Amino acid sequence: MGLRLFTVSIVLWGFAATFALLFQCERPHIWDLTPSRCHNQDIIYYANGVTNILTDVVILALPAVILYNVQITRERKLAIFAIFAIRIL
């Protein structure tokens, strides 16, 4: 249940971030990026970046949580987690 909720929240955040970026400026002057015609772009970019970093951390931690309860040797757990941790690079 928790994984589905996390997946749904990521999808909803993706749609919300896309619409926030698409419609940050008034229409029909969407190409005019002057501050008087657009919302505060810095807040949108920072919120998008922070949320992406947080979801990456959670996605990176998921294999560790799942592997904790698997009955295999510690060396194999570390090897499997190392494979998933390559995502950091």
Coordinates of all heavy atoms in Angstrom, one line a residue:
M1 N 0.8 -1.2 0.0 CA 0.0 0.0 0.0 C 0.9 1.3 0.0 O 0.6 2.2 -0.7 CB -0.9 0.0 1.2 CG -1.9 1.1 1.3 SD -3.0 1.1 0.0 CE -3.9 2.6 0.2
G2 N 1.9 1.2 0.8 CA 2.8 2.4 0.9 C 3.5 2.7 -0.4 O 3.7 3.9 -0.8
L3 N 3.9 1.6 -1.1 CA 4.6 1.8 -2.4 C 3.7 2.4 -3.5 O 4.0 3.3 -4.3 CB 5.2 0.5 -2.9 CG 6.1 0.5 -4.1 CD1 7.2 1.5 -3.9 CD2 6.6 -0.9 -4.5
R4 N 2.4 1.9 -3.5 CA 1.4 2.5 -4.4 C 1.2 3.9 -4.1 O 1.0 4.8 -5.0 CB 0.1 1.7 -4.3 CG 0.3 0.3 -5.0 CD -1.1 -0.4 -5.0 NE -0.9 -1.7 -5.5 CZ -1.8 -2.6 -5.6 NH1 -3.0 -2.3 -5.1 NH2 -1.6 -3.8 -6.1
L5 N 1.0 4.3 -2.8 CA 0.8 5.7 -2.5 C 2.0 6.5 -2.9 O 1.8 7.6 -3.4 CB 0.6 5.8 -1.0 CG 0.3 7.1 -0.4 CD1 -1.0 7.7 -1.0 CD2 0.3 7.1 1.1
F6 N 3.2 6.0 -2.7 CA 4.4 6.8 -3.1 C 4.4 7.0 -4.7 O 4.7 8.1 -5.2 CB 5.6 6.1 -2.7 CG 6.9 6.8 -3.0 CD1 7.2 8.0 -2.4 CD2 7.8 6.3 -3.9 CE1 8.4 8.7 -2.7 CE2 8.9 6.9 -4.2 CZ 9.2 8.1 -3.6
T7 N 4.1 5.9 -5.4 CA 4.0 6.0 -6.8 C 3.0 7.0 -7.3 O 3.2 7.8 -8.2 CB 3.7 4.6 -7.4 OG1 4.7 3.7 -7.0 CG2 3.8 4.6 -9.0
V8 N 1.8 7.0 -6.7 CA 0.7 7.9 -7.1 C 1.2 9.3 -6.8 O 0.9 10.2 -7.6 CB -0.6 7.5 -6.4 CG1 -1.6 8.6 -6.5 CG2 -1.1 6.2 -7.0
S9 N 1.8 9.5 -5.6 CA 2.2 10.9 -5.3 C 3.3 11.4 -6.2 O 3.3 12.6 -6.6 CB 2.7 10.9 -3.8 OG 3.9 10.2 -3.7
I10 N 4.2 10.5 -6.7 CA 5.2 11.0 -7.7 C 4.6 11.3 -9.0 O 4.9 12.4 -9.6 CB 6.3 9.9 -7.9 CG1 7.2 9.8 -6.7 CG2 7.1 10.2 -9.1 CD1 8.2 8.7 -6.8
V11 N 3.6 10.5 -9.4 CA 2.9 10.8 -10.7 C 2.1 12.2 -10.6 O 2.2 13.0 -11.5 CB 2.0 9.7 -11.1 CG1 1.1 10.1 -12.3 CG2 2.8 8.5 -11.5
L12 N 1.4 12.3 -9.5 CA 0.7 13.6 -9.3 C 1.6 14.8 -9.2 O 1.3 15.9 -9.7 CB -0.2 13.5 -8.1 CG -1.4 12.5 -8.2 CD1 -2.1 12.5 -6.8 CD2 -2.3 13.0 -9.3
W13 N 2.8 14.6 -8.5 CA 3.7 15.7 -8.4 C 4.3 16.0 -9.8 O 4.5 17.2 -10.2 CB 4.9 15.4 -7.5 CG 5.9 16.4 -7.6 CD1 7.2 16.3 -8.2 CD2 5.9 17.8 -7.2 NE1 7.9 17.4 -8.1 CE2 7.1 18.4 -7.5 CE3 4.9 18.5 -6.5 CZ2 7.4 19.7 -7.2 CZ3 5.2 19.8 -6.2 CH2 6.4 20.4 -6.6
G14 N 4.5 15.0 -10.6 CA 5.0 15.2 -12.0 C 4.0 16.1 -12.8 O 4.4 17.0 -13.5
F15 N 2.7 15.7 -12.7 CA 1.7 16.5 -13.5 C 1.7 17.9 -12.9 O 1.6 18.9 -13.7 CB 0.4 15.8 -13.4 CG 0.2 14.7 -14.3 CD1 -0.1 13.4 -13.8 CD2 0.4 14.8 -15.7 CE1 -0.3 12.3 -14.7 CE2 0.3 13.7 -16.5 CZ -0.1 12.5 -16.0
A16 N 1.7 18.1 -11.6 CA 1.6 19.4 -11.0 C 2.8 20.3 -11.4 O 2.6 21.5 -11.7 CB 1.5 19.3 -9.5
A17 N 4.0 19.7 -11.3 CA 5.2 20.5 -11.7 C 5.2 20.8 -13.2 O 5.5 22.0 -13.5 CB 6.4 19.6 -11.4
T18 N 4.7 19.9 -14.0 CA 4.6 20.2 -15.5 C 3.6 21.4 -15.7 O 4.0 22.3 -16.5 CB 4.2 19.0 -16.3 OG1 5.2 18.0 -16.0 CG2 4.1 19.3 -17.7
F19 N 2.5 21.3 -15.1 CA 1.5 22.4 -15.3 C 2.0 23.7 -14.7 O 1.7 24.8 -15.3 CB 0.1 22.0 -14.8 CG -0.6 21.1 -15.7 CD1 -0.9 19.8 -15.3 CD2 -1.1 21.5 -16.9 CE1 -1.6 18.9 -16.1 CE2 -1.8 20.7 -17.7 CZ -2.0 19.4 -17.4
A20 N 2.7 23.6 -13.6 CA 3.2 24.9 -13.0 C 4.2 25.5 -13.9 O 4.2 26.8 -14.0 CB 3.8 24.6 -11.6
L21 N 5.0 24.7 -14.5 CA 6.0 25.3 -15.4 C 5.4 25.8 -16.7 O 5.8 26.8 -17.3 CB 7.1 24.3 -15.7 CG 8.1 23.9 -14.5 CD1 9.0 22.8 -14.9 CD2 8.9 25.1 -14.2
L22 N 4.4 25.0 -17.2 CA 3.8 25.4 -18.5 C 3.0 26.7 -18.3 O 3.0 27.6 -19.2 CB 2.9 24.3 -19.0 CG 3.5 23.1 -19.6 CD1 2.5 22.0 -19.9 CD2 4.3 23.5 -20.8
F23 N 2.3 26.9 -17.2 CA 1.3 28.0 -17.1 C 1.8 29.0 -16.0 O 1.0 29.6 -15.4 CB 0.0 27.4 -16.7 CG -0.6 26.5 -17.8 CD1 -0.8 25.2 -17.5 CD2 -0.9 27.0 -19.0 CE1 -1.3 24.3 -18.4 CE2 -1.4 26.1 -20.0 CZ -1.6 24.8 -19.7
Q24 N 3.1 29.2 -15.9 CA 3.6 30.1 -15.0 C 3.5 31.6 -15.4 O 3.5 32.5 -14.6 CB 5.1 29.8 -14.6 CG 6.0 30.0 -15.8 CD 7.4 29.6 -15.5 OE1 7.8 29.7 -14.3 NE2 8.2 29.2 -16.5
C25 N 3.3 31.8 -16.7 CA 3.1 33.1 -17.3 C 1.7 33.3 -17.8 O 1.0 32.3 -18.1 CB 4.1 33.4 -18.4 SG 5.8 33.2 -17.9
E26 N 1.2 34.6 -17.8 CA -0.1 34.9 -18.3 C -0.2 34.6 -19.8 O 0.7 34.7 -20.5 CB -0.4 36.3 -18.0 CG -0.5 36.7 -16.6 CD -0.8 38.2 -16.4 OE1 -1.0 38.9 -17.4 OE2 -0.8 38.6 -15.2
R27 N -1.4 34.2 -20.2 CA -1.6 34.0 -21.6 C -2.1 35.3 -22.2 O -2.7 36.0 -21.5 CB -2.7 32.9 -21.8 CG -2.1 31.5 -21.3 CD -3.1 30.5 -21.5 NE -3.4 30.4 -22.9 CZ -3.2 29.3 -23.7 NH1 -2.6 28.3 -23.1 NH2 -3.5 29.3 -24.9
P28 N -2.0 35.6 -23.4 CA -1.3 34.9 -24.5 C 0.2 35.2 -24.6 O 0.8 34.8 -25.6 CB -2.1 35.4 -25.7 CG -2.4 36.8 -25.4 CD -2.7 36.8 -23.9
H29 N 0.7 35.9 -23.6 CA 2.1 36.3 -23.7 C 3.0 35.3 -22.9 O 3.8 35.6 -22.1 CB 2.3 37.7 -23.1 CG 1.5 38.7 -23.8 ND1 1.7 39.1 -25.1 CD2 0.4 39.4 -23.4 CE1 0.8 40.0 -25.5 NE2 0.0 40.1 -24.4
I30 N 2.9 34.0 -23.2 CA 3.6 33.0 -22.4 C 5.1 33.0 -22.7 O 5.9 32.6 -21.9 CB 3.0 31.6 -22.8 CG1 3.4 30.6 -21.7 CG2 3.4 31.1 -24.1 CD1 2.5 29.3 -21.7
W31 N 5.5 33.6 -23.8 CA 6.9 33.7 -24.1 C 7.6 34.9 -23.5 O 8.8 35.0 -23.4 CB 7.1 33.8 -25.6 CG 6.4 35.0 -26.2 CD1 6.8 36.3 -26.3 CD2 5.0 35.0 -26.7 NE1 5.9 37.1 -26.9 CE2 4.7 36.3 -27.1 CE3 4.1 34.0 -26.8 CZ2 3.5 36.6 -27.6 CZ3 2.8 34.4 -27.4 CH2 2.6 35.7 -27.8
D32 N 6.8 35.8 -22.9 CA 7.3 37.0 -22.3 C 7.6 36.7 -20.8 O 6.7 36.5 -20.0 CB 6.3 38.1 -22.3 CG 6.8 39.5 -21.8 OD1 8.0 39.6 -21.6 OD2 6.0 40.4 -21.6
L33 N 8.9 36.6 -20.4 CA 9.3 36.1 -19.1 C 9.6 37.3 -18.2 O 10.4 37.1 -17.2 CB 10.5 35.2 -19.2 CG 10.4 34.0 -20.0 CD1 11.7 33.2 -20.2 CD2 9.3 33.1 -19.4
T34 N 9.0 38.4 -18.4 CA 9.2 39.5 -17.4 C 8.5 39.2 -16.1 O 7.5 38.5 -16.1 CB 8.6 40.9 -18.0 OG1 7.2 40.7 -18.3 CG2 9.4 41.2 -19.3
P35 N 9.0 39.7 -15.0 CA 8.4 39.4 -13.7 C 6.9 39.9 -13.6 O 6.2 39.3 -12.8 CB 9.3 40.2 -12.7 CG 10.6 40.4 -13.4 CD 10.2 40.5 -14.9
S36 N 6.6 40.9 -14.3 CA 5.2 41.4 -14.2 C 4.2 40.4 -14.8 O 3.0 40.5 -14.5 CB 5.0 42.8 -14.8 OG 5.3 42.7 -16.2
R37 N 4.6 39.6 -15.7 CA 3.7 38.7 -16.4 C 3.8 37.2 -15.9 O 3.0 36.4 -16.3 CB 4.0 38.7 -17.9 CG 3.7 40.1 -18.5 CD 3.2 39.9 -19.9 NE 3.0 41.1 -20.6 CZ 1.8 41.7 -20.7 NH1 0.8 41.1 -20.1 NH2 1.6 42.8 -21.3
C38 N 4.8 36.9 -15.1 CA 5.1 35.5 -14.7 C 5.1 35.5 -13.2 O 5.4 36.4 -12.5 CB 6.4 35.0 -15.2 SG 6.5 34.9 -17.0
H39 N 4.7 34.3 -12.7 CA 4.8 34.1 -11.2 C 6.3 33.9 -10.9 O 7.1 33.9 -11.7 CB 4.1 32.8 -10.9 CG 2.6 32.8 -11.2 ND1 1.7 33.6 -10.4 CD2 1.9 32.3 -12.1 CE1 0.5 33.5 -10.9 NE2 0.6 32.7 -12.0
N40 N 6.5 33.9 -9.6 CA 7.9 33.8 -9.1 C 8.5 32.4 -9.6 O 8.2 31.4 -9.0 CB 8.0 33.9 -7.6 CG 9.4 34.0 -7.1 OD1 10.3 33.9 -7.8 ND2 9.5 34.4 -5.8
Q41 N 9.4 32.5 -10.6 CA 9.9 31.3 -11.2 C 10.9 30.6 -10.2 O 11.0 29.4 -10.3 CB 10.6 31.7 -12.5 CG 9.7 32.2 -13.5 CD 10.4 32.7 -14.8 OE1 11.6 33.0 -14.7 NE2 9.7 32.8 -15.8
D42 N 11.6 31.4 -9.4 CA 12.6 30.7 -8.5 C 11.9 29.8 -7.6 O 12.4 28.7 -7.3 CB 13.3 31.8 -7.7 CG 14.3 32.6 -8.6 OD1 14.7 32.1 -9.7 OD2 14.6 33.8 -8.2
I43 N 10.8 30.1 -7.0 CA 10.0 29.2 -6.1 C 9.6 28.0 -6.8 O 9.8 26.9 -6.3 CB 8.8 30.0 -5.5 CG1 9.3 31.1 -4.6 CG2 7.9 29.0 -4.8 CD1 8.1 31.9 -4.1
I44 N 9.2 28.1 -8.0 CA 8.8 26.9 -8.8 C 10.0 26.0 -9.0 O 9.9 24.8 -8.9 CB 8.1 27.3 -10.1 CG1 6.8 28.0 -9.9 CG2 7.9 26.0 -11.0 CD1 6.1 28.6 -11.1
Y45 N 11.1 26.6 -9.4 CA 12.3 25.8 -9.7 C 12.9 25.1 -8.5 O 13.3 24.0 -8.5 CB 13.4 26.6 -10.4 CG 13.0 27.1 -11.8 CD1 13.3 28.4 -12.2 CD2 12.2 26.4 -12.6 CE1 13.0 28.9 -13.4 CE2 11.8 26.8 -13.9 CZ 12.2 28.1 -14.3 OH 11.9 28.5 -15.5
Y46 N 12.9 25.9 -7.4 CA 13.4 25.3 -6.1 C 12.5 24.2 -5.6 O 13.0 23.2 -5.1 CB 13.6 26.4 -5.0 CG 14.8 27.3 -5.3 CD1 14.6 28.7 -5.2 CD2 16.0 26.8 -5.6 CE1 15.7 29.5 -5.4 CE2 17.1 27.6 -5.9 CZ 16.9 29.0 -5.8 OH 18.0 29.8 -6.0
A47 N 11.2 24.4 -5.6 CA 10.3 23.4 -5.1 C 10.4 22.1 -6.0 O 10.4 21.0 -5.4 CB 8.8 23.9 -5.2
N48 N 10.5 22.3 -7.3 CA 10.7 21.2 -8.2 C 12.0 20.4 -7.9 O 12.0 19.2 -7.8 CB 10.6 21.6 -9.6 CG 10.4 20.5 -10.6 OD1 10.1 19.4 -10.2 ND2 10.6 20.7 -11.9
G49 N 13.1 21.2 -7.7 CA 14.4 20.5 -7.4 C 14.4 19.8 -6.1 O 14.9 18.7 -6.0
V50 N 13.9 20.4 -5.0 CA 13.8 19.8 -3.7 C 13.0 18.6 -3.7 O 13.4 17.5 -3.1 CB 13.4 20.8 -2.6 CG1 13.0 20.1 -1.3 CG2 14.4 21.9 -2.4
T51 N 11.8 18.6 -4.3 CA 11.0 17.4 -4.4 C 11.6 16.3 -5.2 O 11.5 15.2 -4.8 CB 9.6 17.8 -5.0 OG1 9.1 18.9 -4.3 CG2 8.7 16.7 -5.0
N52 N 12.3 16.6 -6.3 CA 13.0 15.6 -7.0 C 14.1 15.0 -6.2 O 14.3 13.7 -6.3 CB 13.5 16.2 -8.3 CG 12.4 16.5 -9.3 OD1 11.4 15.9 -9.3 ND2 12.7 17.4 -10.2
I53 N 14.8 15.8 -5.5 CA 15.9 15.2 -4.6 C 15.3 14.3 -3.5 O 15.8 13.2 -3.3 CB 16.8 16.3 -4.0 CG1 17.6 17.0 -5.1 CG2 17.7 15.8 -2.9 CD1 18.3 18.3 -4.6
L54 N 14.2 14.7 -2.9 CA 13.6 13.9 -1.9 C 13.1 12.6 -2.4 O 13.3 11.5 -1.8 CB 12.5 14.7 -1.2 CG 13.0 15.8 -0.3 CD1 11.8 16.6 0.2 CD2 13.8 15.4 0.8
T55 N 12.5 12.6 -3.6 CA 12.0 11.4 -4.1 C 13.1 10.5 -4.6 O 13.0 9.3 -4.5 CB 11.0 11.7 -5.3 OG1 11.7 12.4 -6.3 CG2 9.7 12.3 -4.9
D56 N 14.2 11.0 -5.0 CA 15.4 10.2 -5.4 C 15.9 9.5 -4.1 O 16.3 8.4 -4.2 CB 16.5 11.1 -6.0 CG 16.2 11.4 -7.5 OD1 15.3 10.7 -8.0 OD2 16.9 12.3 -8.0
V57 N 16.0 10.2 -3.0 CA 16.5 9.6 -1.8 C 15.5 8.5 -1.3 O 16.0 7.4 -0.9 CB 16.6 10.7 -0.6 CG1 16.8 10.0 0.7 CG2 17.7 11.7 -1.0
V58 N 14.2 8.7 -1.4 CA 13.3 7.6 -1.1 C 13.4 6.4 -2.0 O 13.4 5.3 -1.6 CB 11.8 8.2 -1.1 CG1 10.9 7.0 -0.9 CG2 11.7 9.2 0.0
I59 N 13.6 6.7 -3.3 CA 13.7 5.6 -4.3 C 15.0 4.9 -4.0 O 15.1 3.6 -4.2 CB 13.6 6.1 -5.7 CG1 12.2 6.6 -6.0 CG2 14.1 5.1 -6.7 CD1 12.0 7.3 -7.3
L60 N 16.1 5.6 -3.6 CA 17.3 4.9 -3.3 C 17.2 4.1 -2.0 O 17.8 3.0 -1.9 CB 18.4 6.0 -3.1 CG 19.8 5.4 -2.8 CD1 20.3 4.6 -4.0 CD2 20.8 6.6 -2.5
A61 N 16.4 4.5 -1.1 CA 16.3 3.8 0.2 C 15.3 2.6 0.1 O 15.4 1.7 0.9 CB 15.8 4.7 1.3
L62 N 14.5 2.5 -0.9 CA 13.5 1.4 -1.0 C 14.2 0.0 -1.1 O 13.7 -0.9 -0.4 CB 12.6 1.6 -2.2 CG 11.4 2.6 -2.0 CD1 10.7 2.8 -3.3 CD2 10.5 2.1 -0.9
P63 N 15.2 -0.2 -1.9 CA 15.8 -1.5 -1.9 C 16.4 -1.9 -0.5 O 16.4 -3.1 -0.2 CB 16.9 -1.4 -3.0 CG 16.5 -0.3 -3.8 CD 15.7 0.7 -2.9
A64 N 17.0 -0.9 0.2 CA 17.5 -1.3 1.5 C 16.4 -1.7 2.5 O 16.6 -2.7 3.2 CB 18.2 0.0 2.1
V65 N 15.3 -1.1 2.4 CA 14.2 -1.5 3.3 C 13.7 -2.9 2.9 O 13.4 -3.7 3.8 CB 13.1 -0.4 3.2 CG1 11.8 -0.9 4.0 CG2 13.6 0.9 3.8
I66 N 13.6 -3.1 1.6 CA 13.1 -4.4 1.2 C 14.1 -5.5 1.5 O 13.7 -6.6 1.9 CB 12.7 -4.3 -0.3 CG1 11.5 -3.4 -0.5 CG2 12.4 -5.7 -0.9 CD1 11.2 -3.1 -2.0
L67 N 15.4 -5.2 1.2 CA 16.4 -6.2 1.5 C 16.6 -6.5 2.9 O 17.2 -7.6 3.3 CB 17.7 -5.8 0.8 CG 17.8 -5.9 -0.7 CD1 19.1 -5.2 -1.2 CD2 17.8 -7.3 -1.1
Y68 N 16.2 -5.7 3.8 CA 16.5 -5.9 5.2 C 15.8 -7.2 5.7 O 16.3 -7.9 6.6 CB 16.0 -4.7 6.0 CG 16.2 -4.8 7.5 CD1 17.4 -4.6 8.1 CD2 15.1 -5.1 8.4 CE1 17.6 -4.8 9.4 CE2 15.3 -5.2 9.7 CZ 16.6 -5.1 10.2 OH 16.8 -5.2 11.6
N69 N 14.6 -7.5 5.2 CA 13.9 -8.6 5.7 C 14.1 -9.9 4.8 O 13.6 -10.9 5.2 CB 12.4 -8.3 5.7 CG 12.0 -7.3 6.7 OD1 12.6 -7.2 7.8 ND2 11.1 -6.4 6.4
V70 N 14.9 -9.8 3.8 CA 15.2 -11.0 2.9 C 16.2 -11.9 3.7 O 17.2 -11.4 4.2 CB 15.7 -10.5 1.6 CG1 16.1 -11.7 0.7 CG2 14.6 -9.7 0.9
Q71 N 16.0 -13.2 3.6 CA 16.8 -14.1 4.3 C 18.0 -14.6 3.4 O 17.9 -15.7 2.9 CB 16.0 -15.3 4.9 CG 15.1 -14.9 5.9 CD 14.3 -16.1 6.5 OE1 14.4 -17.2 6.0 NE2 13.5 -15.8 7.5
I72 N 18.9 -13.7 3.2 CA 20.2 -14.1 2.5 C 21.3 -13.5 3.3 O 21.1 -12.8 4.3 CB 20.2 -13.5 1.0 CG1 20.0 -12.0 1.0 CG2 19.1 -14.2 0.2 CD1 20.1 -11.4 -0.3
T73 N 22.5 -13.9 2.9 CA 23.7 -13.5 3.7 C 23.9 -12.0 3.6 O 23.4 -11.3 2.6 CB 25.0 -14.2 3.2 OG1 25.2 -13.8 1.8 CG2 24.8 -15.7 3.3
R74 N 24.6 -11.5 4.5 CA 24.8 -10.0 4.6 C 25.7 -9.6 3.4 O 25.4 -8.5 2.8 CB 25.6 -9.6 5.9 CG 25.8 -8.2 6.0 CD 26.5 -7.8 7.3 NE 25.5 -8.0 8.3 CZ 25.8 -8.0 9.6 NH1 27.1 -7.7 10.0 NH2 24.9 -8.2 10.5
E75 N 26.6 -10.4 2.9 CA 27.4 -10.1 1.8 C 26.6 -9.9 0.5 O 26.8 -9.0 -0.3 CB 28.5 -11.1 1.6 CG 29.6 -11.1 2.6 CD 29.2 -11.9 3.9 OE1 28.2 -12.7 3.8 OE2 29.8 -11.6 5.0
R76 N 25.6 -10.8 0.3 CA 24.7 -10.7 -0.8 C 23.8 -9.5 -0.7 O 23.6 -8.9 -1.7 CB 23.9 -12.0 -1.0 CG 24.7 -13.1 -1.5 CD 23.8 -14.2 -2.1 NE 24.6 -15.2 -2.7 CZ 24.1 -16.3 -3.2 NH1 22.8 -16.5 -3.2 NH2 24.9 -17.1 -3.8
K77 N 23.3 -9.2 0.5 CA 22.5 -8.0 0.6 C 23.3 -6.8 0.2 O 22.8 -5.9 -0.5 CB 22.0 -7.9 2.1 CG 20.9 -8.8 2.5 CD 20.5 -8.6 3.9 CE 19.5 -9.6 4.4 NZ 19.0 -9.3 5.7
L78 N 24.6 -6.7 0.7 CA 25.4 -5.5 0.4 C 25.7 -5.5 -1.1 O 25.7 -4.4 -1.7 CB 26.7 -5.6 1.2 CG 26.6 -5.3 2.7 CD1 27.9 -5.5 3.3 CD2 26.0 -3.9 2.9
A79 N 25.9 -6.6 -1.7 CA 26.2 -6.6 -3.2 C 24.9 -6.2 -4.0 O 25.0 -5.4 -4.9 CB 26.6 -8.0 -3.6
I80 N 23.7 -6.7 -3.6 CA 22.5 -6.2 -4.2 C 22.3 -4.8 -4.0 O 21.9 -4.0 -4.9 CB 21.3 -7.1 -3.8 CG1 21.5 -8.5 -4.2 CG2 20.0 -6.5 -4.3 CD1 20.5 -9.5 -3.6
F81 N 22.5 -4.3 -2.8 CA 22.3 -2.9 -2.5 C 23.3 -2.0 -3.3 O 22.9 -0.9 -3.8 CB 22.4 -2.6 -1.0 CG 22.1 -1.1 -0.7 CD1 20.8 -0.6 -0.8 CD2 23.1 -0.3 -0.3 CE1 20.6 0.7 -0.5 CE2 22.9 1.0 -0.1 CZ 21.6 1.5 -0.1
A82 N 24.5 -2.5 -3.4 CA 25.5 -1.8 -4.2 C 25.1 -1.6 -5.7 O 25.3 -0.6 -6.3 CB 26.8 -2.4 -4.1
I83 N 24.4 -2.6 -6.2 CA 23.9 -2.6 -7.6 C 22.9 -1.5 -7.7 O 22.9 -0.7 -8.6 CB 23.4 -3.9 -8.0 CG1 24.6 -4.9 -8.2 CG2 22.6 -3.8 -9.3 CD1 24.1 -6.3 -8.4
F84 N 22.0 -1.4 -6.7 CA 21.0 -0.4 -6.7 C 21.6 1.0 -6.5 O 21.1 2.0 -6.9 CB 19.8 -0.7 -5.7 CG 18.9 -1.7 -6.2 CD1 18.9 -3.0 -5.6 CD2 18.0 -1.5 -7.2 CE1 18.0 -4.0 -6.0 CE2 17.1 -2.5 -7.7 CZ 17.1 -3.7 -7.1
A85 N 22.6 1.1 -5.6 CA 23.2 2.3 -5.3 C 24.0 3.0 -6.4 O 24.4 4.1 -6.3 CB 24.1 2.1 -4.1
I86 N 24.3 2.2 -7.5 CA 25.0 2.8 -8.6 C 24.2 3.9 -9.2 O 24.7 4.8 -9.8 CB 25.2 1.7 -9.7 CG1 26.3 0.7 -9.1 CG2 25.7 2.3 -11.0 CD1 26.5 -0.5 -10.0
R87 N 22.9 4.0 -8.9 CA 22.0 5.1 -9.4 C 22.5 6.4 -8.9 O 22.3 7.5 -9.6 CB 20.6 4.8 -8.9 CG 19.6 5.8 -9.3 CD 18.3 5.4 -8.8 NE 17.2 6.1 -9.5 CZ 16.8 7.3 -9.1 NH1 17.3 7.9 -8.1 NH2 15.8 7.9 -9.8
I88 N 23.3 6.5 -7.8 CA 23.8 7.8 -7.3 C 24.7 8.4 -8.3 O 24.8 9.6 -8.5 CB 24.5 7.5 -6.0 CG1 23.5 7.1 -4.9 CG2 25.2 8.8 -5.5 CD1 24.2 6.7 -3.6
L89 N 25.5 7.6 -9.0 CA 26.5 8.1 -9.9 C 25.7 8.7 -11.1 O 26.1 9.6 -11.7 CB 27.4 7.0 -10.4 CG 28.2 6.3 -9.3 CD1 29.0 5.2 -10.0 CD2 29.2 7.3 -8.7

